[in-house]
Amino acid sequence: MGCIEALKKENENVILTIFKHAEEYLKASLVQTPDLQLHCDDNLVVDSLPSVIINDLRECVRLMVTAGLREECIDVYITWRREFLSEILSALIELKIGNTIKTEFFIKALCLADRILLPNERRLCECVFEGSIPLEDKYPALPGIHRFRFRKSLASYPALRDKLLMDLNIYSALHGIRKFGELLTLTYGVKEKAIVPGGRVHQITLDVLDYADKIDKDWRGSLNPMTDEERKFPLITDLLDSSLEANSQNYHDPILGYVFIINNRSYIQRRAMQRGLRHILGNDWIKKNTTSIKENLQLYLRNSWNKILDILKLDINESEPNVAAQLMKNKLRSFNGHFDDICNIQSTWFVFTEELRRKIIESIEKMLLPAYGNFIGRLQDFLGNQAYEHIEYGMFDVQDRLNNLFLVRE
């Protein structure tokens, strides 16, 4: 593919563009400026490549896929992007190889991968395969963090490895770096591996909080100010945010994704309060976590139950009683079907505490019961005693079905 060879010649310019964008972050000390952020730009790579070459590559992909060479096309693309990632990693290491190596170099490298490299790889992948490979199938062509071979590449630099091993805090720091790597894998890796059934609390949430416990224990056991590792913890929580958001979008039912966020963030909230982790997680992040719980609860209620509430709206023309009565019977039949489906599905979902389960159910009751009661009352006005022939759920029956939501326990 001649267009790929042409693009390979642009690698140096693309790398320089990325480094220029991240220059302030790479040169700064994260200890002295812990709040410094690496600003995202998902179009950095695409904008720095000649549009003519990208268009040629897109056309080449189209022709290969049309000719039945889809897998070969993806293999060539993966090889190309692996070479680029290996080249930029080597350039990044060279920036530091002559200096005293600090563990924050790893943090910066992984943050660069999370904020710049992988989002740009996704964007480039979308541009190249647009119109040729469906959205759900194109990301196997994306060289995720597990293909970055970060650790393997470092093994090629024994001087770098030896300097790192001289750092007295290297083992605890590498534990944090491992969490970075896992978060990146869950955010950008194969989707099916990231899904937990029923919207349960994800293992990566448990791992990050275990790490927070470790930092807290180490800090309380010493008289020293917060260490570099503790100052870098906000970077891990940022990645946790990204991971939870990405995993919530992997569910085939988006509503279960909201429940997943509610579960994980509620678990974080409770454990942070019980273990006194507020000073590690940060007050701002705790507030943001609380806000996210409320927002996702509203999203769950709106997307799960608004359609049923729309069915129960009394937008009927009462000047024609027979027509209105038939319309209400049709609405009730539609309500019965939708309500039954939702209850059957959501009874198999998980909510991690009974207190949270009751809170969600009470929120549903406040929305649904008054609307359903008004609807049944109007139906009885039209049909009299005949209304009972059509009412499948009385008020207590509706409450009973709601009380059987989220019955799955660990």
Side-chain angles (χ1 to χ4, degrees):
M1 297 173 69
C3 46
I4 281 188
E5 292 303 318
L7 280 168
K8 284 182 180 179
K9 296 178 181 178
E10 299 292 329
N11 281 358
E12 184 176 351
N13 290 332
V14 173
I15 291 171
L16 289 175
T17 299
I18 292 173
F19 282 172
K20 184 177 181 180
H21 175 82
E23 183 177 14
E24 180 185 3
Y25 178 78
L26 292 174
K27 288 183 176 180
S29 167
L30 297 185
V31 177
Q32 296 174 358
T33 55
D35 295 329
L36 183 64
Q37 297 292 318
L38 177 58
H39 298 294
C40 302
D41 184 348
D42 293 2
N43 293 304
L44 200 61
V45 170
V46 171
D47 290 345
S48 64
L49 290 171
S51 59
V52 173
I53 300 180
I54 291 182
N55 291 337
D56 288 345
L57 181 58
R58 187 186 299 120
E59 177 62 15
C60 185
V61 167
R62 187 188 68 79
L63 292 174
M64 289 187 71
V65 172
T66 302
L69 300 174
R70 177 183 180 278
E71 296 305 318
E72 291 82 355
C73 177
I74 290 176
D75 287 343
V76 171
Y77 181 85
I78 288 175
T79 300
W80 168 44
R81 298 319 295 163
R82 278 180 179 167
E83 290 176 3
F84 171 77
L85 290 174
S86 178
E87 190 173 333
I88 195 171
L89 175 61
S90 298
L92 182 62
I93 290 175
E94 288 300 323
L95 288 178
K96 282 286 183 179
I97 200 70
N99 302 326
T100 301
I101 305 300
K102 301 290 185 181
T103 55
E104 75 173 46
F105 164 69
F106 281 90
I107 304 297
K108 288 180 177 179
L110 286 168
C111 191
L112 185 71
D114 175 60
R115 298 288 180 87
I116 302 296
L117 298 183
L118 294 177
N120 272 272
E121 287 303 314
R122 274 183 179 267
R123 182 74 187 97
L124 180 61
C125 188
E126 290 170 349
C127 288
V128 169
F129 290 96
E130 182 182 7
S132 298
I133 295 179
L135 178 65
E136 63 271 16
D137 295 335
K138 69 175 61 170
Y139 288 123
L142 179 67
I145 194 67
H146 59 290
R147 291 176 180 154
F148 201 148
R149 303 189 183 280
F150 187 82
R151 295 175 183 172
K152 184 176 180 181
S153 297
L154 284 176
S156 303
Y157 294 85
L160 173 62
R161 183 191 61 228
D162 293 343
K163 287 182 181 180
L164 281 167
L165 290 175
M166 291 172 64
D167 189 323
L168 294 178
N169 295 320
I170 186 61
Y171 295 106
S172 60
L174 284 177
H175 183 74
I177 290 165
R178 183 175 63 82
K179 295 305 170 198
F180 266 86
E182 289 174 4
L183 284 163
L184 289 170
T185 301
L186 288 169
T187 304
Y188 298 103
V190 180
K191 288 186 175 183
E192 287 74 12
K193 291 183 179 179
I195 295 175
V196 289
R200 288 174 170 80
V201 177
H202 203 290
Q203 184 62 45
I204 199 64
T205 301
L206 303 175
D207 287 347
V208 169
L209 290 175
D210 286 345
Y211 183 49
D213 279 338
K214 174 189 174 297
I215 291 177
D216 180 59
K217 182 179 179 181
D218 292 345
W219 180 71
R220 291 179 186 275
S222 69
L223 299 177
N224 298 322
M226 279 198 170
T227 64
D228 293 356
E229 188 180 358
E230 291 155 8
R231 291 179 184 276
K232 290 163 189 157
F233 196 81
L235 298 176
I236 293 182
T237 54
D238 284 347
L239 288 177
L240 177 60
D241 287 336
S242 300
S243 179
L244 291 178
E245 183 62 30
N247 284 301
S248 72
Q249 295 174 10
N250 289 341
Y251 288 98
H252 296 300
D253 187 341
I255 299 169
L256 182 53
Y258 303 136
V259 174
F260 169 82
I261 292 290
I262 293 169
N263 275 326
N264 279 265
R265 292 200 174 277
S266 295
Y267 177 82
I268 292 170
Q269 196 83 357
R270 187 180 73 163
R271 188 161 159 184
M273 297 303 103
Q274 288 179 343
R275 305 283 182 89
L277 298 177
R278 181 180 288 273
H279 67 290
I280 297 292
L281 297 172
N283 287 328
D284 290 342
W285 193 85
I286 291 290
K287 290 178 183 177
K288 184 173 71 172
N289 191 67
T290 302
T291 300
S292 179
I293 294 171
K294 294 177 180 177
E295 290 174 347
N296 279 273
L297 176 57
Q298 290 306 311
L299 287 169
Y300 160 77
L301 293 172
R302 183 162 64 245
N303 288 275
S304 191
W305 297 98
N306 269 13
K307 187 170 185 179
I308 281 188
L309 293 176
D310 288 340
I311 293 172
L312 296 176
K313 286 181 179 177
L314 298 172
D315 49 353
I316 55 178
N317 184 0
E318 298 188 18
S319 64
E320 300 183 46
N322 291 335
V323 174
Q326 185 59 48
L327 178 60
M328 291 198 72
K329 286 190 286 186
N330 292 340
K331 278 176 167 282
L332 183 60
R333 193 158 41 245
S334 180
F335 168 85
N336 292 338
H338 281 89
F339 182 67
D340 194 51
D341 288 343
I342 291 176
C343 291
N344 287 339
I345 292 171
Q346 296 189 12
S347 65
T348 65
W349 291 357
F350 170 84
V351 171
F352 92 98
T353 66
E354 181 61 26
E355 179 184 2
L356 179 59
R357 178 175 172 273
R358 286 307 321 162
K359 179 180 178 180
I360 296 175
I361 291 174
E362 287 171 4
S363 298
I364 299 169
E365 289 176 341
K366 289 178 181 178
M367 294 173 54
L368 184 60
L369 294 182
Y372 186 67
N374 289 337
F375 184 90
I376 294 300
R378 293 298 293 133
L379 181 68
Q380 290 171 332
D381 290 342
F382 279 104
L383 300 180
N385 289 334
Q386 291 183 358
Y388 294 104
E389 299 175 8
H390 305 278
I391 298 173
E392 181 176 341
Y393 294 103
M395 295 295 288
F396 290 115
D397 297 322
V398 171
Q399 285 181 296
D400 184 62
R401 289 303 305 270
L402 294 179
N403 284 329
N404 283 279
L405 298 180
F406 312 113
L407 286 180
V408 173
R409 310 279 5 123
E410 291 287 11

